[in-house]
Amino acid sequence: MTLPPKLKAPRLSLLAVCLAIIPLPPMQADAQQESFSAYLQIVAVHARTQGVSEAAIAGVLGGLTPNQRVIELDTAQPGSQNTPPALAPYIAQHVDGSIVGRGRARHAGLSSILPQIERRYGVPAPMLFAIWGHETNFGSYTGDFDLARSLATLAWEGRRRALFEGELIALMKMVDRGIPRAQLKGSWAGAFGYPQFLPSVYLRLAADGDGDAKSDIFANPADTIASIANYFRDAGWRPGQPWGVRAALPSGFDVPAYATKLSAPSCGRVHARHSQWKTVSEWRSLGVSPLAPIASDVLASLFQPDGPGTPAYLLTGNYRVILQYNCSNYYAMSVGLLADEIAR
Ligand SMILES: [Ca+2]
């Protein structure tokens, strides 16, 4: 998802991590001065101008009340920490033998269609299963918040009104496309289905993986895998490049000496932890040795998340694609490493 939120209720991951790094404006006092029902009338007007049917507007907005729990979850987002927590414990917890085993089993179960999905989208299948596994444990939890109520509450709350109102209207467009209103359940932050797409992402990128002309990311593994692949292709995945590789550093190598001088337009605190870009051959000439195959002309940044003496990685542009799905180094590193394990 290009935009932050992909949160689900039980786990504090996706949107939570993202929002932790995006400085939020303070709660707008005036945003909630209008009543919830008055605000929904405004949303209805905006939806009409975008061609949403009256039936979908009424179906989505009818009878909604604000969800206090959503506001509590949103305002309880962790603040920015000066020192990011160590990566290794997170990886140990999120890339264990059990999720690797489930990922390999899911991969094997879809093996007949994976070659064509890899050809069509150019993304290696293990990466797609790693995303699916991290998002919803392969569909075992997708959230049971009413999406309309969550999105309307977040929009009304006002801190990111443009984002969430757009998603609420996209939800109405899903109803106009024939998705039953009752099926619109997901995370408190508005993401849903096996890959935890936001409504706008669903409208743009949900894909059909099994050839039945439906793009069902609520219950169909093949469609889920194709949809994640479509997301990755759309986000600029470069076929044939790894997301990153482990790298050996010379003793005493001064990683901070190569700190980036760029500041990323969004999600800056995540990107600021990666070094300057250099080609793999330039890194080699500095003594940095990739420990897995990667072409010499590929641009990569160096990342040693837990400091001197701990694992270091050369990250390619494809790592940034994982970050677009969810802008967190913890998320992206665990997805990349899980994909490597599933592929092994
Ligand atoms: Ca399908």
Side-chain angles (χ1 to χ4, degrees):
M1 310 336 24
T2 13
L3 286 183
K6 247 169 308 95
L7 217 23
K8 40 211 144 294
R11 272 196 326 172
L12 189 71
S13 58
L14 319 179
L15 175 62
V17 180
C18 268
L19 295 186
I21 6 177
I22 298 171
L24 289 177
M27 192 87 76
Q28 291 169 17
D30 56 342
Q32 287 183 53
Q33 279 176 3
E34 66 199 334
S35 74
F36 187 70
S37 59
Y39 173 60
L40 295 190
Q41 294 305 312
I42 297 170
V43 175
V45 170
H46 293 165
R48 270 180 210 110
T49 65
Q50 294 186 38
V52 176
S53 73
E54 291 302 324
I57 293 172
V60 167
L61 299 183
L64 286 188
T65 54
N67 187 339
Q68 194 55 40
R69 179 70 184 136
V70 167
I71 293 177
E72 286 165 13
L73 287 164
D74 187 42
T75 49
Q77 297 290 330
S80 320
Q81 292 174 288
N82 289 332
T83 308
L87 179 75
Y90 187 93
I91 297 296
Q93 190 187 346
H94 288 83
V95 192
D96 62 3
S98 131
I99 193 171
V100 171
R102 289 195 301 281
R104 286 177 183 161
R106 290 289 189 166
H107 187 281
L110 285 178
S111 57
S112 62
I113 62 158
L114 294 180
Q116 89 183 55
I117 287 181
E118 288 185 325
R119 266 197 311 277
R120 190 187 312 159
Y121 298 103
V123 185
M127 178 59 65
L128 310 172
F129 287 89
I131 293 280
W132 185 22
H134 272 286
E135 290 296 333
T136 59
N137 194 12
F138 305 104
S140 68
Y141 49 80
T142 54
D144 57 4
F145 281 76
D146 179 63
L147 291 169
R149 194 178 181 209
S150 290
L151 291 167
T153 299
L154 291 163
W156 174 63
E157 183 193 48
R159 287 190 293 174
R160 293 174 300 274
R161 174 165 288 185
L163 167 70
F164 288 116
E165 185 177 307
E167 294 299 340
L168 181 57
I169 293 173
L171 195 71
M172 299 175 201
K173 293 176 180 174
M174 288 176 61
V175 171
D176 271 337
R177 277 201 195 175
I179 309 291
R181 170 70 176 82
Q183 196 169 14
L184 300 177
K185 306 258 188 251
S187 80
W188 66 262
F192 60 88
Y194 284 180
Q196 294 286 283
F197 277 7
L198 287 167
S200 64
V201 175
Y202 172 87
L203 291 176
R204 203 162 59 83
L205 296 172
D208 176 21
D210 60 3
D212 68 353
K214 298 192 181 95
S215 304
D216 175 11
I217 63 165
F218 291 92
N220 185 307
D223 292 357
T224 296
I225 289 302
S227 298
I228 297 170
N230 198 24
Y231 184 98
F232 269 54
R233 181 176 66 178
D234 180 77
W237 181 270
R238 295 176 176 88
Q241 279 187 21
W243 61 274
V245 295
R246 268 287 291 274
L249 305 181
S251 169
F253 189 81
D254 186 6
V255 175
Y258 300 94
T260 182
K261 296 181 178 67
L262 304 173
S263 71
S266 67
C267 214
R269 293 167 71 95
V270 170
H271 290 98
R273 299 185 66 195
H274 311 144
S275 80
Q276 300 164 19
W277 292 96
K278 294 181 182 300
T279 63
V280 168
S281 62
E282 287 171 327
W283 285 118
R284 281 186 198 280
S285 69
L286 293 166
V288 175
S289 305
L291 299 177
I294 183 169
S296 310
D297 59 349
V298 170
L299 279 166
S301 58
L302 183 62
F303 184 37
Q304 191 176 35
D306 293 342
T310 67
Y313 301 86
L314 286 172
L315 305 175
T316 73
N318 282 342
Y319 183 83
R320 268 66 182 177
V321 172
I322 308 175
L323 287 178
Q324 285 193 50
Y325 207 95
N326 181 1
C327 196
S328 153
N329 282 311
Y330 301 87
Y331 179 86
M333 286 298 302
S334 56
V335 161
L337 292 169
L338 176 58
D340 288 352
E341 290 302 315
I342 292 172
R344 210 176 292 279

